[in-house]
Amino acid sequence: MSRTDFIMSQGATCRNWTWSWSFIDDIGKRVIFGAWEDLVSEDGTRALILSNEWKENEEGEIKLGYVQAREHLDKIMLEGYQLYTFSQKRSKVSDEKKKAKIKSFVPDLQLKYLVHEDGCWYATNEEEYDYTPEVKEEHYEGDKKVRLSTYYERNSKARKECLEHYGYSCKACGFNFEDIYGEIGKNFIHVHHVNPVATIGKRYKIDPIKHLIPLCANCHAMIHIGSDVLTVDELKKKLRKQKNKR
């Protein structure tokens, strides 16, 4: 099986099969990178999947693969896509600006977590991940602040720890999807990021228990209505007030 056939069998695609370094599965909300074996850390906990040093070719032109890879990484950082990698070997190159040639690959996807440090992006194991992505400053402007907050709400590891602590009932109204819908509603709930997005710094470290809380879809929508995001307590007061009117 060729690498292209393997990626396509996973439901992923790219703009060009010749120069692409990364691939995307929009239905499964997955981003896939090939991880070079020679760029894995000595302890095997993380692999370099993208570097600013790979941005330009020998003529000083921006590589299209780099541009696409950055767009795919933003899908992970800001839209809740999951990162997956597969191992691959490359033929030795003397210059990072030259195109790397794939010698072989392993057709097996592994779930990883994204870490960004000093212009380098790494795929790391869950045990090594600490919720501290480094994000470009422009992601703090306008509606992109909301997209950054969404990253924390959709992060699978943070979400898991939040729900293990709080359970799957809405902390504003008490609604539980499984109680109402049965089996299809089991383990379904939104997770809300409680900190105002304006307070999120470039190296913000999230605490899944303090900063995330489960909300049903309706309460989550109501909290985000208007220019100012309500707190959970403010929404609960509105619910009580409305209930007393009945």
Side-chain angles (χ1 to χ4, degrees):
M1 178 185 288
S2 69
R3 190 181 75 150
T4 298
D5 288 339
F6 169 62
I7 296 299
M8 291 179 68
S9 75
Q10 300 299 314
T13 188
C14 61
R15 290 182 187 150
N16 184 292
W17 293 105
T18 300
W19 50 252
S20 289
W21 309 340
S22 57
F23 312 91
I24 191 164
D25 167 18
D26 282 313
I27 295 177
K29 297 184 81 67
R30 299 185 300 173
V31 166
I32 301 171
F33 273 80
W36 298 115
E37 285 189 358
D38 60 307
L39 298 181
V40 176
S41 61
E42 290 185 4
D43 61 5
T45 59
R46 68 181 189 174
L48 179 65
I49 59 173
L50 188 67
S51 169
N52 282 343
E53 294 183 359
W54 307 348
K55 185 176 182 178
E56 299 177 351
N57 61 22
E58 296 174 273
E59 289 74 39
E61 300 169 332
I62 304 297
K63 295 179 182 177
L64 296 177
Y66 176 87
V67 174
Q68 178 180 249
R70 288 296 302 270
E71 292 173 357
H72 287 169
L73 291 178
D74 275 354
K75 291 286 187 178
I76 299 170
M77 298 292 291
L78 303 171
E79 296 185 34
Y81 281 56
Q82 289 290 340
L83 171 64
Y84 285 81
T85 66
F86 60 91
S87 179
Q88 59 185 13
K89 291 183 179 180
R90 61 176 173 172
S91 302
K92 291 184 178 180
V93 292
S94 58
D95 188 346
E96 290 291 349
K97 293 184 181 296
K98 293 182 179 180
K99 181 181 177 181
K101 293 184 178 180
I102 300 170
K103 186 176 182 180
S104 62
F105 77 98
V106 179
D108 179 44
L109 294 183
Q110 299 291 324
L111 174 63
K112 298 292 181 179
Y113 295 85
L114 184 65
V115 176
H116 181 203
E117 295 176 357
D118 302 322
C120 293
W121 288 260
Y122 300 91
T124 189
N125 297 332
E126 181 178 4
E127 296 77 16
E128 308 299 321
Y129 183 64
D130 63 359
Y131 316 114
T132 57
E134 184 179 282
V135 184
K136 295 179 293 182
E137 287 297 330
E138 58 263 35
H139 290 316
Y140 296 93
E141 298 174 1
D143 64 346
K144 291 185 179 180
K145 291 181 180 180
V146 177
R147 295 172 65 199
L148 178 59
S149 185
T150 300
Y151 165 79
Y152 296 108
E153 295 176 357
R154 293 182 179 175
N155 180 281
S156 61
K157 186 179 179 184
R159 174 184 171 86
K160 178 182 177 183
E161 292 190 21
C162 167
L163 295 176
E164 284 178 348
H165 179 79
Y166 290 110
Y168 289 83
S169 295
C170 176
K171 291 302 178 181
C173 72
F175 185 89
N176 183 288
F177 283 88
E178 185 178 12
D179 289 347
I180 302 300
Y181 296 103
E183 184 66 23
I184 62 170
K186 185 177 181 180
N187 294 346
F188 181 83
I189 195 75
H190 286 202
V191 169
H192 172 61
H193 178 242
V194 300
N195 279 9
V197 291
T199 68
I200 298 176
K202 191 176 183 182
R203 294 289 292 173
Y204 174 72
K205 182 162 184 171
I206 194 169
D207 182 319
I209 310 304
K210 294 180 179 178
H211 301 156
L212 298 177
I213 193 166
L215 294 176
C216 70
N218 284 346
C219 286
H220 201 191
M222 292 300 101
I223 268 184
H224 285 285
I225 278 185
S227 57
D228 295 323
V229 178
L230 296 174
T231 67
V232 175
D233 284 339
E234 287 172 338
L235 182 63
K236 290 169 74 173
K237 288 179 181 178
K238 290 182 180 294
L239 286 169
R240 287 194 296 268
K241 183 178 180 180
Q242 191 66 22
K243 186 177 181 179
N244 292 333
K245 288 182 179 179
R246 296 172 185 172

